[in-house]
Amino acid sequence: MFFNTPSLYRKSIYKKIDENFDCDWYFGDYTGGVKSFDINLLKQSSYLHVSNARHRVYWTVGLLKLLFDKRYDVYFMYASTWDLCMWLFLLLRSLFFRRKKINFWCHGWYGKENCLEALLKKIMYNSADRVFCYGEYARRLLLDMGYAPDKICAIHNSLDYEYQLEIRSTLSPSDIYIKHFKTMAPVLLFIGRLTKVKRLDLLLDAMALLKQQGHCYNLMIVGDGEEKEYLQNLIERHGLESFVWLYGACYDDKVNAELIYNADLCVAPGNVGLTAIHSMTFGTPVATHHEFKFQMPEFESIKEGETGSFFEYNDQESIAETILKWFDIHRGDRDEVRKACYAEIENNWTPDFQLKVIKDNLFI
């Protein structure tokens, strides 16, 4: 097992793999600011040094030694077209170690790749025996490019589902938003880093449009980041001070769960990512944009009209219309929507789902 970093959000699935397979773990030692977990939680694990880590093209020291190690017959690893050592690893394997099997775990295809990125990905994926991509969208794009159906499978993504279920069992509807906003208006939610790519300005613009039309919604923003001051100014400019709660960053899982559970719709104007999984795990549907090549794979958890909705890319008017339509259609059926969100996560976005995909498809 070789991955660029021991991402904290993957701790649960990695531990399940560790319990079910005889494997050794190797991780790059450069996290790039990504939250990581203690690799000593895995039976056999160690770090490989990433040279030139802060640049686009880099080198993972020690990766080639794993290819020559006679203990290893199967490799399950991430795919990086910018890791020079990985290219040499794949070349030497194709020349001298054909019996050793390569399984990639990667994003697959976005649909926005430029010519160079597309060429490099095609060569790299063709060198593998099997490719586990995050979603069906990426899988379909790869199949359309001529890859064999049995070579590409969708593994999805997950958080620490068992822990989140424990928290969810303690939740019940509360008046936290009624107390703060002093109204019964529906509550929109965003949770995550306040960065430009999240396009929260579009959500505030949409709320201003709705307010002008006589439709008032409350908005809870959980998170901190570079855009906070800009968003505060925009809230004042639109006269939304009494409708927006800038909660700030929160690292208490139980508090975040309560805030999500009691909201009515999570809105992500930029790419949605794992926010969709986090939100639906606690029963709140998600709305985001429909330009899938600029999305993260977790957008696939959104089933139109059931677990959320889609609006047009970078269009505040479409965001406003989608919000209005959602609450017009789903007035009074909050419990049914909550159950639909639970079912979507349970069936498709858990470590157990991923483990089954691995057991069914790992090329050994």
Side-chain angles (χ1 to χ4, degrees):
M1 310 292 293
F2 170 60
F3 296 98
N4 57 333
T5 184
S7 302
L8 178 61
Y9 85 88
R10 278 193 174 183
K11 179 178 72 172
S12 183
I13 178 57
Y14 284 170
K15 287 178 68 176
K16 284 186 178 291
I17 293 171
D18 198 49
E19 292 165 1
N20 283 269
F21 289 90
D22 176 20
C23 57
D24 292 345
W25 296 82
Y26 298 88
F27 296 97
D29 63 357
Y30 178 70
T31 64
V34 175
K35 290 184 179 180
S36 58
F37 67 90
D38 182 0
I39 64 172
N40 291 317
L41 294 173
L42 306 172
K43 291 192 292 286
Q44 298 290 335
S45 59
S46 58
Y47 282 106
L48 299 178
H49 178 59
V50 180
S51 180
N52 206 42
R54 295 183 181 274
H55 298 81
R56 191 175 190 185
V57 179
Y58 58 93
W59 179 278
T60 303
V61 180
L63 181 58
L64 290 181
K65 290 183 180 179
L66 304 184
L67 181 63
F68 288 87
D69 196 317
K70 294 181 179 180
R71 294 175 298 167
Y72 304 140
D73 302 308
V74 179
Y75 300 82
F76 199 12
M77 55 201 296
Y78 88 117
S80 172
T81 56
W82 304 113
D83 186 341
L84 296 181
C85 193
M86 187 167 290
W87 282 110
L88 187 54
F89 181 100
L90 295 172
L91 174 62
L92 293 175
R93 180 260 183 173
S94 68
L95 294 174
F96 305 112
F97 301 98
R98 292 299 301 174
R99 291 186 177 182
K100 295 196 173 193
K101 305 302 179 184
I102 304 292
N103 299 268
F104 280 143
W105 186 345
C106 56
H107 276 278
W109 212 263
Y110 287 103
K112 62 180 181 180
E113 288 80 359
N114 60 37
C115 292
L116 176 60
E117 290 171 334
L119 176 62
L120 293 177
K121 280 189 174 184
K122 287 177 182 177
I123 296 172
M124 183 163 280
Y125 295 167
N126 277 327
S127 69
D129 296 283
R130 187 141 297 154
V131 176
F132 293 75
C133 55
Y134 286 135
E136 288 294 339
Y137 170 77
R139 181 175 182 271
R140 288 194 299 270
L141 290 179
L142 289 170
L143 294 180
D144 289 342
M145 293 165 56
Y147 287 89
D150 62 350
K151 183 170 183 172
I152 313 293
C153 57
I155 191 171
H156 292 179
N157 220 340
S158 69
L159 295 170
D160 193 343
Y161 186 63
E162 293 177 1
Y163 172 60
Q164 291 176 329
L165 279 185
E166 291 179 12
I167 297 176
R168 198 172 80 189
S169 67
T170 69
L171 297 175
S172 60
S174 74
D175 59 358
I176 185 172
Y177 291 123
I178 296 174
K179 284 183 176 179
H180 179 85
F181 290 111
K182 304 295 191 291
T183 73
M184 297 285 288
V187 177
L188 309 175
L189 169 79
F190 174 83
I191 182 167
R193 290 283 298 166
L194 308 185
T195 58
K196 289 184 178 180
V197 72
K198 298 303 180 181
R199 295 309 312 269
L200 291 176
D201 58 310
L202 292 175
L203 176 52
L204 294 173
D205 290 344
M207 286 187 64
L209 286 173
L210 289 166
K211 182 186 173 187
Q212 291 172 8
Q213 298 167 8
H215 306 291
C216 291
Y217 297 88
N218 296 320
L219 171 62
M220 162 61 92
I221 298 178
V222 183
D224 204 348
E226 62 194 43
E227 288 286 278
K228 182 177 181 180
E229 184 177 348
Y230 170 71
L231 294 174
Q232 286 176 325
N233 293 334
L234 190 57
I235 289 167
E236 294 174 7
R237 195 184 315 157
H238 285 315
L240 294 171
E241 294 94 330
S242 61
F243 300 97
V244 180
W245 186 358
L246 278 173
Y247 192 86
C250 179
Y251 302 103
D252 187 317
D253 294 332
K254 294 181 179 179
V255 172
N256 283 332
E258 181 188 11
L259 296 175
I260 295 171
Y261 181 88
N262 285 285
D264 297 297
L265 178 67
C266 176
V267 183
N271 58 46
V272 66
L274 284 165
T275 294
I277 309 306
H278 195 189
S279 184
M280 288 188 202
T281 298
F282 294 110
T284 296
V286 178
T288 190
H289 72 76
H290 69 352
E291 194 64 64
F292 298 151
K293 65 184 177 181
F294 297 124
Q295 274 291 3
M296 301 302 283
E298 295 80 11
F299 81 84
E300 293 182 18
S301 63
I302 300 172
K303 303 299 185 289
E304 179 65 50
E306 297 178 20
T307 62
S309 192
F310 293 102
F311 44 75
E312 294 181 17
Y313 183 58
N314 283 350
D315 189 331
Q316 59 264 41
E317 291 185 4
S318 179
I319 296 173
E321 291 170 3
T322 300
I323 291 171
L324 190 60
K325 181 180 178 181
W326 177 267
F327 288 103
D328 281 345
I329 293 175
H330 294 283
R331 187 178 291 110
D333 64 355
R334 186 68 184 87
D335 286 341
E336 286 72 18
V337 171
R338 186 173 281 120
K339 291 175 183 176
C341 291
Y342 291 166
E344 173 62 26
I345 300 303
E346 172 70 27
N347 294 333
N348 299 295
W349 303 90
T350 69
D352 284 336
F353 172 90
Q354 293 182 290
L355 183 63
K356 184 177 186 306
V357 172
I358 293 170
K359 287 183 174 181
D360 291 345
N361 295 279
L362 192 67
F363 204 106
I364 297 178

